[in-house]
Every structure is written in C-alpha cells, then in structure tokens.
Amino acid sequence: MTDKPIFKGVATALITPLNSNGVDYEALGKLIDWQINQGINALVIAGTTGEGATLSDEEHKKVIAYSVERANKKIPIIAATGSNETDYAVSMTKFACKAGADAVLVVTPYYNKATQNGLVTMYKTIADASSVPLILYNVPSRTGINIEPETYLKLADHPMIKGIKEANGDISKIMKTFNLIGGKLDVYSGNDDQIIPIMAAGGLGVISVLSNIAPAQTVEMCNKFFAGDLKGANDMQLKYLPLINALFSEVNPIPVKAAMNKLGWCENYLRLPLTQMEEAHYIKLENLMKEQGII
C-alpha cells in the first residue's frame, strides 16, 4: 500500500444517466448523493460504465466538473480521462485536474494498441502533465492490449502513478504483478467477481459495477475483509456471484443501466452501438435482484 492511497474499499464506476436530450444532470446529482449516503468510498466518473466513449467532448468535461462540485470533497472523484490518442488524454487529464478531480483513471490505448514500451512512454507522458494521481486501467478484453507485470514495475516509480485498476482476469499474472511491484502501486480489482481474491493478494478494494445497484452491500463485503472476517467477506463474494454474472451477461453497461432503470434512478437509455438488454437476460437479472433484496 502506498503512503496515501487514493481510496480504500469501493469506488463505484458510476453510470451516466442519459436521455434523448443528453445527460440527465438532475438524475446524476441524486445518484451521487445516494452513493455517498450509502457509504461508498469514491466515484469513477465517465468511465466504461459511464459511457465515456460516447459522450461528446463537452459532455465529458461537464460531467466531470458537475460531479466534482456535487460531491463537494465528501469522497474522492476519479475522472476517466484515457484515450487511444495521447494528446487528447493529456488534454482531458489537465481539464480534470483543473476541475478539481482527486485522481484520473487512464485506460490503455484501444484499437491502435501499443507495445509495452509504447505504454510506458504514453503513461509517463500523461503522468508528467497531471497534478493528481493516475490509476492505470488494464482491460484487455476491451482494448486488445495487456499491461504486463514488468511494465507496471517500470511505471511504479513515477511520482504521479499511484494505482492499478486490474481487469485482465488472469489471477496468475495479477499475482506476478503483486510480487514485482512490492507495494509501490495500489491495486484495485476491476472485476466484481474477483474482489476478495485480489484483496487477499494485497489489493485495496474494487472499482465496481455491482456497487451501482448495491453500494452498501459491496462496501460491507470489503469492510468485512478489512476487519479480518475473511470467511464473511468471501461468503458475500460468492453470494453475489450470480448477480455479478447477470450484470455482465451483455456488454457493460447495458445490464446495469437496465437495473438502475428498474430501481428508478434513470431512463434505460443507451447510445449506439449499445442497445437495450435482451428480454431473457433482463428477466434473469430482475429475478436475481429480487432474490438479493435489491428490489
């Protein structure tokens, strides 16, 4: 663990409420308030779950600035500022810093990809331009590129690179990363089905989709682990596994948007190429939410 972690516990990868007119800021504000009241430890804004890829430049900036203002320093706001175009990622990172974000989440470059040397150069370039800490976001299922454990080690000594959102799903490689970096970077699970395994290896928590619909429960899972109740934490991990799987039965954030609509938080509105959830998947998700007492 670094001297000053960006957060410890659960950061919700927050949805962005949308409708045919654009971003629904009233709904976004209420969601931020609710997440804070439920005890969440941080919020990630305009990331994958927040449909950052289809927000316009103006919307992306306004959502970050609005969220910072609404949270009012009650919890850290982590702005997703990554891109496959490094100059744009630098520009968005500088904006997030100026807007008052507490950290930025920077995904690996997608489509054009990069070599491992390219990743090192890209991340150092963005980190050099940032006045807040970076969390590196590794999600090869979406980007087609994996940050190798040795690459994390090369980046670990940069003063502005503080954490990893690890969503590569490969526990063996994740264990190698823990071994190599030796506490120089804080590691957060990027997959809800691996929260407790990654924390058991030395992780500090999760950047979560599940906590959109079950914030208090996800926080409780992590708090049990921190309190030394490993069995209780693991029991909760296993209990919520079917629900987690249902939340990823279609491309994220399609299922969680449907779930949040069912809970009354937002319209079930997505931007193409994302489309609404298939009925069979939705019925299964709805039934699991009922079983878990969420609705």
mmCIF file of all heavy atoms in Angstrom, residues 88-113:
data_model
loop_
_atom_site.group_PDB
_atom_site.id
_atom_site.type_symbol
_atom_site.label_atom_id
_atom_site.label_comp_id
_atom_site.label_asym_id
_atom_site.label_seq_id
_atom_site.Cartn_x
_atom_site.Cartn_y
_atom_site.Cartn_z
ATOM 1 N N TYR A 88 -5.017 13.843 -26.638
ATOM 2 C CA TYR A 88 -6.360 14.048 -26.094
ATOM 3 C C TYR A 88 -6.418 13.622 -24.630
ATOM 4 O O TYR A 88 -7.030 14.304 -23.800
ATOM 5 C CB TYR A 88 -7.398 13.283 -26.917
ATOM 6 C CG TYR A 88 -8.814 13.497 -26.430
ATOM 7 C CD1 TYR A 88 -9.494 14.678 -26.697
ATOM 8 C CD2 TYR A 88 -9.470 12.521 -25.676
ATOM 9 C CE1 TYR A 88 -10.789 14.890 -26.243
ATOM 10 C CE2 TYR A 88 -10.766 12.721 -25.218
ATOM 11 C CZ TYR A 88 -11.413 13.902 -25.508
ATOM 12 O OH TYR A 88 -12.682 14.104 -25.042
ATOM 13 N N ALA A 89 -5.776 12.492 -24.305
ATOM 14 C CA ALA A 89 -5.747 12.035 -22.915
ATOM 15 C C ALA A 89 -5.043 13.060 -22.030
ATOM 16 O O ALA A 89 -5.479 13.322 -20.898
ATOM 17 C CB ALA A 89 -5.049 10.682 -22.824
ATOM 18 N N VAL A 90 -3.982 13.660 -22.531
ATOM 19 C CA VAL A 90 -3.284 14.718 -21.786
ATOM 20 C C VAL A 90 -4.213 15.916 -21.577
ATOM 21 O O VAL A 90 -4.317 16.460 -20.467
ATOM 22 C CB VAL A 90 -1.995 15.152 -22.524
ATOM 23 C CG1 VAL A 90 -1.454 16.470 -21.952
ATOM 24 C CG2 VAL A 90 -0.937 14.069 -22.430
ATOM 25 N N SER A 91 -4.916 16.308 -22.633
ATOM 26 C CA SER A 91 -5.831 17.450 -22.546
ATOM 27 C C SER A 91 -6.947 17.189 -21.543
ATOM 28 O O SER A 91 -7.260 18.056 -20.702
ATOM 29 C CB SER A 91 -6.419 17.731 -23.930
ATOM 30 O OG SER A 91 -7.438 18.709 -23.859
ATOM 31 N N MET A 92 -7.552 15.994 -21.597
ATOM 32 C CA MET A 92 -8.630 15.658 -20.664
ATOM 33 C C MET A 92 -8.106 15.564 -19.237
ATOM 34 O O MET A 92 -8.792 15.962 -18.284
ATOM 35 C CB MET A 92 -9.292 14.346 -21.073
ATOM 36 C CG MET A 92 -10.225 14.448 -22.257
ATOM 37 S SD MET A 92 -11.594 15.629 -22.032
ATOM 38 C CE MET A 92 -12.341 14.995 -20.539
ATOM 39 N N THR A 93 -6.902 15.044 -19.074
ATOM 40 C CA THR A 93 -6.310 14.940 -17.738
ATOM 41 C C THR A 93 -6.065 16.324 -17.149
ATOM 42 O O THR A 93 -6.372 16.583 -15.977
ATOM 43 C CB THR A 93 -5.011 14.125 -17.804
ATOM 44 O OG1 THR A 93 -5.303 12.790 -18.242
ATOM 45 C CG2 THR A 93 -4.315 14.075 -16.450
ATOM 46 N N LYS A 94 -5.544 17.223 -17.970
ATOM 47 C CA LYS A 94 -5.325 18.599 -17.496
ATOM 48 C C LYS A 94 -6.653 19.255 -17.108
ATOM 49 O O LYS A 94 -6.732 19.968 -16.097
ATOM 50 C CB LYS A 94 -4.622 19.418 -18.583
ATOM 51 C CG LYS A 94 -3.159 19.089 -18.761
ATOM 52 C CD LYS A 94 -2.534 19.961 -19.847
ATOM 53 C CE LYS A 94 -1.043 19.728 -19.975
ATOM 54 N NZ LYS A 94 -0.449 20.553 -21.062
ATOM 55 N N PHE A 95 -7.701 19.002 -17.911
ATOM 56 C CA PHE A 95 -9.015 19.557 -17.580
ATOM 57 C C PHE A 95 -9.498 19.014 -16.239
ATOM 58 O O PHE A 95 -9.998 19.762 -15.389
ATOM 59 C CB PHE A 95 -10.048 19.245 -18.657
ATOM 60 C CG PHE A 95 -11.436 19.679 -18.256
ATOM 61 C CD1 PHE A 95 -11.843 20.981 -18.446
ATOM 62 C CD2 PHE A 95 -12.302 18.794 -17.616
ATOM 63 C CE1 PHE A 95 -13.102 21.396 -18.018
ATOM 64 C CE2 PHE A 95 -13.556 19.205 -17.196
ATOM 65 C CZ PHE A 95 -13.954 20.508 -17.399
ATOM 66 N N ALA A 96 -9.401 17.685 -16.044
ATOM 67 C CA ALA A 96 -9.867 17.071 -14.801
ATOM 68 C C ALA A 96 -9.121 17.632 -13.593
ATOM 69 O O ALA A 96 -9.722 17.871 -12.535
ATOM 70 C CB ALA A 96 -9.705 15.551 -14.872
ATOM 71 N N CYS A 97 -7.825 17.844 -13.748
ATOM 72 C CA CYS A 97 -7.034 18.439 -12.659
ATOM 73 C C CYS A 97 -7.558 19.829 -12.318
ATOM 74 O O CYS A 97 -7.775 20.159 -11.148
ATOM 75 C CB CYS A 97 -5.562 18.524 -13.059
ATOM 76 S SG CYS A 97 -4.729 16.939 -13.279
ATOM 77 N N LYS A 98 -7.785 20.625 -13.356
ATOM 78 C CA LYS A 98 -8.268 21.999 -13.162
ATOM 79 C C LYS A 98 -9.666 22.011 -12.557
ATOM 80 O O LYS A 98 -10.009 22.888 -11.755
ATOM 81 C CB LYS A 98 -8.247 22.738 -14.493
ATOM 82 C CG LYS A 98 -8.521 24.227 -14.386
ATOM 83 C CD LYS A 98 -8.357 24.914 -15.738
ATOM 84 C CE LYS A 98 -8.626 26.417 -15.643
ATOM 85 N NZ LYS A 98 -8.506 27.069 -16.968
ATOM 86 N N ALA A 99 -10.481 21.014 -12.934
ATOM 87 C CA ALA A 99 -11.867 20.948 -12.444
ATOM 88 C C ALA A 99 -11.943 20.484 -10.989
ATOM 89 O O ALA A 99 -13.013 20.579 -10.374
ATOM 90 C CB ALA A 99 -12.679 20.010 -13.321
ATOM 91 N N GLY A 100 -10.864 19.964 -10.455
ATOM 92 C CA GLY A 100 -10.846 19.572 -9.054
ATOM 93 C C GLY A 100 -10.972 18.087 -8.788
ATOM 94 O O GLY A 100 -11.204 17.678 -7.646
ATOM 95 N N ALA A 101 -10.817 17.258 -9.827
ATOM 96 C CA ALA A 101 -10.840 15.810 -9.602
ATOM 97 C C ALA A 101 -9.686 15.404 -8.690
ATOM 98 O O ALA A 101 -8.630 16.044 -8.684
ATOM 99 C CB ALA A 101 -10.735 15.071 -10.938
ATOM 100 N N ASP A 102 -9.903 14.357 -7.921
ATOM 101 C CA ASP A 102 -8.892 13.902 -6.967
ATOM 102 C C ASP A 102 -7.881 12.952 -7.590
ATOM 103 O O ASP A 102 -6.786 12.758 -7.060
ATOM 104 C CB ASP A 102 -9.585 13.215 -5.788
ATOM 105 C CG ASP A 102 -10.512 14.161 -5.052
ATOM 106 O OD1 ASP A 102 -9.999 14.977 -4.255
ATOM 107 O OD2 ASP A 102 -11.723 14.121 -5.298
ATOM 108 N N ALA A 103 -8.261 12.322 -8.695
ATOM 109 C CA ALA A 103 -7.385 11.403 -9.413
ATOM 110 C C ALA A 103 -7.971 11.206 -10.800
ATOM 111 O O ALA A 103 -9.105 11.608 -11.082
ATOM 112 C CB ALA A 103 -7.286 10.066 -8.679
ATOM 113 N N VAL A 104 -7.186 10.567 -11.681
ATOM 114 C CA VAL A 104 -7.693 10.226 -13.008
ATOM 115 C C VAL A 104 -7.469 8.745 -13.268
ATOM 116 O O VAL A 104 -6.520 8.141 -12.758
ATOM 117 C CB VAL A 104 -7.034 11.074 -14.129
ATOM 118 C CG1 VAL A 104 -7.471 12.525 -14.026
ATOM 119 C CG2 VAL A 104 -5.517 10.960 -14.102
ATOM 120 N N LEU A 105 -8.374 8.176 -14.048
ATOM 121 C CA LEU A 105 -8.297 6.778 -14.459
ATOM 122 C C LEU A 105 -7.967 6.762 -15.952
ATOM 123 O O LEU A 105 -8.704 7.328 -16.753
ATOM 124 C CB LEU A 105 -9.633 6.081 -14.201
ATOM 125 C CG LEU A 105 -9.737 4.608 -14.596
ATOM 126 C CD1 LEU A 105 -8.928 3.739 -13.647
ATOM 127 C CD2 LEU A 105 -11.194 4.152 -14.585
ATOM 128 N N VAL A 106 -6.854 6.110 -16.304
ATOM 129 C CA VAL A 106 -6.363 6.194 -17.675
ATOM 130 C C VAL A 106 -6.265 4.793 -18.274
ATOM 131 O O VAL A 106 -5.401 3.993 -17.894
ATOM 132 C CB VAL A 106 -4.996 6.906 -17.740
ATOM 133 C CG1 VAL A 106 -4.567 7.079 -19.198
ATOM 134 C CG2 VAL A 106 -5.063 8.270 -17.051
ATOM 135 N N VAL A 107 -7.153 4.518 -19.214
ATOM 136 C CA VAL A 107 -7.216 3.212 -19.849
ATOM 137 C C VAL A 107 -6.074 3.059 -20.848
ATOM 138 O O VAL A 107 -5.538 4.050 -21.367
ATOM 139 C CB VAL A 107 -8.587 3.032 -20.538
ATOM 140 C CG1 VAL A 107 -8.699 3.905 -21.793
ATOM 141 C CG2 VAL A 107 -8.863 1.566 -20.869
ATOM 142 N N THR A 108 -5.718 1.816 -21.138
ATOM 143 C CA THR A 108 -4.742 1.559 -22.191
ATOM 144 C C THR A 108 -5.328 1.965 -23.542
ATOM 145 O O THR A 108 -6.542 1.982 -23.723
ATOM 146 C CB THR A 108 -4.371 0.066 -22.236
ATOM 147 O OG1 THR A 108 -5.564 -0.708 -22.341
ATOM 148 C CG2 THR A 108 -3.595 -0.358 -21.006
ATOM 149 N N PRO A 109 -4.470 2.283 -24.522
ATOM 150 C CA PRO A 109 -4.980 2.685 -25.838
ATOM 151 C C PRO A 109 -5.641 1.511 -26.543
ATOM 152 O O PRO A 109 -5.117 0.408 -26.571
ATOM 153 C CB PRO A 109 -3.719 3.140 -26.587
ATOM 154 C CG PRO A 109 -2.591 2.451 -25.899
ATOM 155 C CD PRO A 109 -2.996 2.326 -24.463
ATOM 156 N N TYR A 110 -6.825 1.767 -27.071
ATOM 157 C CA TYR A 110 -7.608 0.753 -27.753
ATOM 158 C C TYR A 110 -7.481 0.933 -29.266
ATOM 159 O O TYR A 110 -7.137 1.994 -29.760
ATOM 160 C CB TYR A 110 -9.084 0.841 -27.330
ATOM 161 C CG TYR A 110 -9.545 2.275 -27.158
ATOM 162 C CD1 TYR A 110 -10.051 2.999 -28.231
ATOM 163 C CD2 TYR A 110 -9.419 2.916 -25.923
ATOM 164 C CE1 TYR A 110 -10.437 4.314 -28.086
ATOM 165 C CE2 TYR A 110 -9.803 4.244 -25.773
ATOM 166 C CZ TYR A 110 -10.299 4.941 -26.849
ATOM 167 O OH TYR A 110 -10.660 6.253 -26.700
ATOM 168 N N TYR A 111 -7.746 -0.095 -30.005
ATOM 169 C CA TYR A 111 -7.700 -0.156 -31.463
ATOM 170 C C TYR A 111 -6.273 -0.016 -32.009
ATOM 171 O O TYR A 111 -5.736 -0.962 -32.562
ATOM 172 C CB TYR A 111 -8.631 0.853 -32.149
ATOM 173 C CG TYR A 111 -8.663 0.630 -33.654
ATOM 174 C CD1 TYR A 111 -9.326 -0.478 -34.180
ATOM 175 C CD2 TYR A 111 -7.993 1.481 -34.515
ATOM 176 C CE1 TYR A 111 -9.318 -0.723 -35.548
ATOM 177 C CE2 TYR A 111 -7.979 1.240 -35.879
ATOM 178 C CZ TYR A 111 -8.638 0.131 -36.390
ATOM 179 O OH TYR A 111 -8.615 -0.114 -37.735
ATOM 180 N N ASN A 112 -5.634 1.155 -31.863
ATOM 181 C CA ASN A 112 -4.258 1.255 -32.341
ATOM 182 C C ASN A 112 -3.278 0.498 -31.446
ATOM 183 O O ASN A 112 -2.195 0.133 -31.866
ATOM 184 C CB ASN A 112 -3.817 2.711 -32.522
ATOM 185 C CG ASN A 112 -4.086 3.594 -31.328
ATOM 186 O OD1 ASN A 112 -4.616 3.149 -30.309
ATOM 187 N ND2 ASN A 112 -3.733 4.856 -31.439
ATOM 188 N N LYS A 113 -3.687 0.248 -30.191
ATOM 189 C CA LYS A 113 -2.915 -0.535 -29.217
ATOM 190 C C LYS A 113 -1.527 0.100 -29.004
ATOM 191 O O LYS A 113 -1.355 1.296 -29.182
ATOM 192 C CB LYS A 113 -2.830 -2.004 -29.623
ATOM 193 C CG LYS A 113 -4.195 -2.645 -29.878
ATOM 194 C CD LYS A 113 -4.163 -4.154 -29.809
ATOM 195 C CE LYS A 113 -3.467 -4.817 -30.940
ATOM 196 N NZ LYS A 113 -3.622 -6.301 -30.895
#
